[in-house]
Each structure stands twice: as C-alpha cells, then as structure tokens.
Amino acid sequence: MSSTFLNKELPIILIFVTGVIMIVSYFVSAPEIYLDPLAGNLSQAASLIAAYATILGIVTLAIIHVNHIIKRTKGQWYYSIIVLALALLMIVVGFIGELGTHPYFIWLYQYPLIALDTTIYSLLAFYIVSAAFRAFKVRSVEALILVVSGIFVMLMNAPVGAAIWSGFPVIGNWVMTVPNTSGFRGFIIGAAIGAIAIGLRVLLGKEKGVLGRS
Amino acid sequence: MDIGGKMQLIAGRIFGAVFLLISFLIIYIYMTKAVKGSVPKIRKMAGLEAIPESIGRAAETGRPVHYTPGTAGFSGATAGFAAQTFAGLSVLTYVSRLTAKYKVPLYVTLAYGEHIPLVESILRESYTFEGRPEAVATETKVLYFPIATSNAPYASGVLGLFERVKPASNIMIGPFYFEALAIAEQGFIEGAMQIAGTAMTYQIPFFVVACDYTLIGEEIFAAGAVVSQDKPLLGSIAGQDIIKIITILMLLGGFILQNLGIDFLSILKF
C-alpha cells in the first residue's frame, strides 16, 4: 500500500465509515444485523484509544520534566522533581493491592488531590470579582443595560432583594426567563447548526485540523 | 417505524433524522457549488482579523504565543463537544503558520492526550509549509496538563506557564469549562492580547469580559473555513445560513400553528 493511501486516504475512509455507523445507530435500531453492538464496540474502541493516548501524554510529560531536571532549567527543574515524584507516588500506591482501593491511595486522592482541585476552583471567586469590576463599568448603553439587568438578577437571588422591594424577584425572573432564555436558545440553535456543518466537513475529510494537517 | 429489511427508525428521533439529512444535503450542495466557482462572501470576524496583529505584537515584544484548542476529549463525558475541539484545531493550523512565518515561540497547552499527535502533526506541517521544519523543535512546545478529577490541573498548569513565560498573545478556541475565566484573567494580568472563542454558553460571558476579541458560538465553527479560504469549507457556511433560515421559518410557523391550536410540537417529537 502506498504511503499516500495510508497517510491521507485511509484515515478519511475510517472517519467516514465509523462516523456514518455512529450517526445511523443513533436514529436506527437494527439489532438483528448487529448495528447496535457494532456502534457500542466502536464507542468502546474510541475510549480505549483515548486511554492509550493518555499513556502517550504521560510519557511526553515525563520526558519534558526529565529534560528540565537534566538541564537544570532555571525556575523550573525543582518543580519538575515534585511533579514526577508525586505522579510516581500516585501510580505506585494505586497499584498496591486491588487497583486504586488501598487506603493510602484513597487518602492521597481525597485529601491532597481534592483539596488542591478545590483551591484552584475557588480562585475563580477572585477572578470573577476582577472581571466583574471591568465589565460593570458603564461606558455605553449596552453596558448600562448589562449593569441594570445584573443588579436585578443579583437582587433576585439574594434574600435581601425581596425584603427591600418585592418587585426585584419579579423583574429578575423576567430577565432570566425572557430575554436571557431567548438569547440562549438562539445561540444554541446557531451553534448546533455550526456543529452539523463541521460534522459533515469532518466526515468528508475536508476539515484538515482533524487529520493533523495544516 | 419500519424502514425495510431488519431496520427500524427509533420513535421520537425521526424528525431529527430527517432534519439532519436535509441539513447535510443543503451543506453538501453549497460545498459543491463553491468548488464550481460560486464562493460565498463571508463577513469579516474581528477576532480572526486580530490574530495576525496579536502574533505580530508577540514578534515585536519577543514574547511567546499561547494557544489551546480547549478542554474536551474525543471520547467519554466531554466527547459531545469534540466539534468545538475540531474547530480549535483548524484555527491552530492558521496560528502555527503565522508563528512559523514571524519566528515567534508558540506554546500549545493540552488537557487530553489524544490531542497530542494531532497538534504535533499540525505544527510539523505548518512549519514545513513555511520552509522551517527544523524550528518545530526549538520554537514550539506542546505541553500536556492532564485532567484528573476536574480541570484544575490543566488550569493550574496554564496559570503557572503564564507566570513564567508571560505570553504576548493568548488564543483560546474550543470548548472550555471553569478554567476559561481563570486563564483569561491571568492572561489579562500578564498583559497578553487575548482572542477567545467557544460555544460553551456559560463561558462566553467570561471571555467577553476578559478578552480583547471573542468568537461567539457558531463563529468558531466558521473560523477554520474563513482562515483557510478553502472553497468547499466557505460553501458549507452558506449552507449553514440556509438551514438557519429554515429553522427560523419553522420557529415562526410553530409559533403561529401552536397559537391556532394545531399541535406543531408533536411533529418535532415524531
């Protein structure tokens, strides 16, 4: 087989065949001709490929950090040691006994990892404040509408809003259910049609980025 | 509904199947028309127009460009947003050609391992196209910050990177979750010119606030076509517009029929 066929045509054929099977299986039920199990198997195959790709990613990550340590990259190499040591620790402890059930592994997962996750997530509060400070500067009519709407929605959600004036929850609710919902729906319809178009372009092999081409 | 042989259309999805087939057909017709020479004129998108400017700025300041195609994988819980990742990868082809041309360092950060081979391949092809294949190793870095229990490891990885390399340009096109605001705000703090795009409804307001330019919803799906100026891809955007017109007519028709007491919704649920 020529390299052109293997590198260019075969991936497009595979994408087209698997894509069509997945789309048809969503709309059509045909257990007697094994369409449903075939679609299920293809879906599982995608998960398996993704799992292997994760291993590839971890190897890439390890290579990058080992290089940082070897080269003593300024401001980086000691963090690389921490990353590699902790990754190794999680992997080793995860394999002790039954996979991922050892008390040490559960402790590492529940206390340091979840706590770190939550810490990063909670940083959002500060980012939201700084972003809101910029967003709520009234420089145009649109910005004024945004600020007024925001005030009503905030006072709708805060119990003190209804205590100040019973109209705040009513107007806030109207803002959320009428202009906000209609805007959202228009947005979702447009995005869904865009996704259909890109889906067809991918199926036909016209979307170069999907095939790793420039 | 029996459609012959041993196949049955699943009840409740028949209208969807018909609509999808019609949509595919319309888009295909317009792609074919474009190939034959009837290329539609696409309006300019400020976000895309700003990409060369932001990379030029990076070249002037000697600082790098950061790019990410979003934080959704091709399988599992986030696979439903893969179309947005495809859109992000399409724009990466354009961005990487520009960074190759202007000799600007490019950092591509990824949250899923399956994106790595695609991104590396795009970078190789772009730099080869610009006649500098050797620069891939020295001027580009593909960094993988794997997602674990949440997107926090990816977010913290990118925040750390921003602190260290201080990018002059931050381009984020694809699906994003909470990390959208964290990264965009950090980019703002570092003084980067920021161009973002997503079809994730809850993240768009954050991008609008924190970034200089935002591609909203369907614009990201059109972006790849616009930057490539590929005729069939441009044709597909015209096809999209026809489907939009049909959808608007259906909305209006449904509104009128429903108010006249005719159950239009039952057709959609067919």
Side-chain angles (χ1 to χ4, degrees):
Chain A
M1 266 186 276
S2 69
S3 64
T4 314
F5 176 77
L6 285 174
N7 292 329
K8 293 192 172 170
E9 290 162 13
L10 185 62
I12 295 172
I13 293 168
L14 285 174
I15 287 172
F16 184 80
V17 172
T18 51
V20 168
I21 291 170
M22 293 309 288
I23 292 170
V24 171
S25 70
Y26 180 78
F27 295 110
V28 176
S29 174
E32 287 181 44
I33 57 168
Y34 304 108
L35 179 65
D36 302 346
L38 180 63
N41 286 341
L42 283 173
S43 185
Q44 279 184 348
S47 300
L48 273 172
I49 292 167
Y52 282 116
T54 304
I55 296 170
L56 167 76
I58 290 166
V59 171
T60 309
L61 192 74
I63 291 169
I64 288 169
H65 286 287
V66 167
N67 277 334
H68 279 311
I69 296 166
I70 292 169
K71 290 175 185 168
R72 292 283 193 278
T73 312
K74 196 182 168 189
Q76 172 71 52
W77 68 273
Y78 32 87
Y79 293 123
S80 294
I81 291 175
I82 296 169
V83 168
L84 288 179
L86 290 177
L88 197 66
L89 179 71
M90 285 298 280
I91 292 167
V92 170
V93 177
F95 277 104
I96 297 173
E98 204 177 324
L99 199 66
T101 55
H102 194 275
Y104 288 166
F105 181 80
I106 292 168
W107 185 88
L108 280 169
Y109 184 85
Q110 279 186 338
Y111 297 101
L113 189 62
I114 297 285
L116 286 167
D117 264 7
T118 315
T119 305
I120 295 295
Y121 193 81
S122 61
L123 282 176
L124 270 190
F126 300 101
Y127 287 128
I128 285 174
V129 170
S130 65
F133 179 75
R134 292 202 304 280
F136 288 151
K137 277 181 185 169
V138 180
R139 287 178 181 149
S140 61
V141 178
E142 289 89 346
L144 180 67
I145 294 169
L146 179 73
V147 169
V148 173
S149 308
I151 288 168
F152 279 112
V153 173
M154 269 193 290
L155 289 171
M156 172 192 76
N157 286 312
V160 73
I164 296 168
W165 179 44
S166 60
F168 281 131
V170 178
I171 298 170
N173 191 45
W174 179 85
V175 168
M176 288 304 289
T177 52
V178 182
N180 182 60
T181 305
S182 44
F184 251 51
R185 284 181 186 163
F187 170 88
I188 288 167
I189 289 168
I193 294 169
I196 289 173
I198 207 169
L200 184 67
R201 300 201 303 246
V202 169
L203 281 179
L204 298 176
K206 302 286 182 192
E207 200 68 35
K208 292 173 186 169
V210 177
L211 297 164
R213 290 181 200 153
S214 179
Chain B
M1 182 199 278
D2 203 336
I3 52 169
K6 291 164 182 173
M7 295 191 286
Q8 278 192 328
L9 273 170
I10 297 169
R13 294 180 183 177
I14 297 170
F15 178 80
V18 172
F19 188 82
L20 187 69
L21 274 176
I22 292 170
S23 302
F24 276 175
L25 189 66
I26 291 169
I27 294 166
Y28 185 75
I29 288 168
Y30 275 86
M31 285 168 83
T32 314
K33 277 174 77 173
V35 173
K36 286 177 182 168
S38 176
V39 185
K41 197 171 178 225
I42 310 292
R43 72 173 167 85
K44 288 182 177 176
M45 287 187 241
L48 291 179
E49 299 274 307
I51 289 177
E53 184 196 336
S54 76
I55 293 171
R57 202 175 119 169
E60 282 170 10
T61 55
R63 284 155 62 194
V65 171
H66 170 255
Y67 189 91
T68 172
T71 53
F74 295 142
S75 67
T78 57
F81 305 113
Q84 294 185 51
T85 310
F86 295 154
L89 291 171
S90 291
V91 179
L92 175 63
T93 62
Y94 178 59
V95 170
S96 54
R97 279 190 188 184
L98 288 173
T99 55
K101 194 173 170 184
Y102 296 123
K103 299 178 182 171
V104 178
L106 171 66
Y107 287 86
V108 184
T109 58
L110 304 172
Y112 283 88
E114 60 258 41
H115 298 166
I116 297 173
L118 290 174
V119 167
E120 286 181 340
S121 175
I122 288 169
L123 296 181
R124 257 198 316 274
E125 287 218 2
S126 292
Y127 278 70
T128 306
F129 182 84
E130 292 297 332
R132 306 179 61 237
E134 74 291 344
V136 178
T138 53
E139 290 178 13
T140 70
K141 272 187 183 158
V142 179
L143 299 174
Y144 172 52
F145 301 120
I147 278 175
T149 47
S150 77
N151 290 12
Y154 175 76
S156 57
V158 178
L159 297 183
L161 177 76
F162 277 23
E163 195 60 42
R164 289 191 297 277
V165 304
K166 306 204 182 300
S169 168
N170 174 31
I171 305 168
M172 308 164 70
I173 294 176
F176 293 93
Y177 295 87
F178 85 85
E179 71 282 356
L181 178 64
I183 297 171
E185 271 298 288
Q186 190 63 35
F188 175 81
I189 292 164
E190 304 297 347
M193 182 172 173
Q194 304 200 91
I195 300 156
T198 188
M200 306 296 266
T201 45
Y202 290 98
Q203 305 307 328
I204 285 174
F206 296 132
F207 276 154
V208 170
V209 169
C211 299
D212 299 286
Y213 297 94
T214 309
L215 298 173
I216 297 175
E218 59 182 307
E219 286 182 337
I220 70 164
F221 299 116
V226 174
V227 294
S228 71
Q229 287 295 309
D230 202 12
K231 284 179 183 175
L233 301 192
L234 291 170
S236 73
I237 298 173
Q240 263 175 254
D241 282 351
I242 301 298
I243 302 165
K244 253 183 264 176
I245 292 167
I246 293 171
T247 311
I248 291 166
L249 289 174
M250 277 171 56
L251 282 168
L252 289 171
F255 172 76
I256 294 165
L257 290 174
Q258 209 67 29
N259 279 293
L260 289 173
I262 300 163
D263 191 9
F264 179 72
L265 286 175
S266 63
I267 299 169
L268 305 183
K269 290 175 187 166
F270 182 58

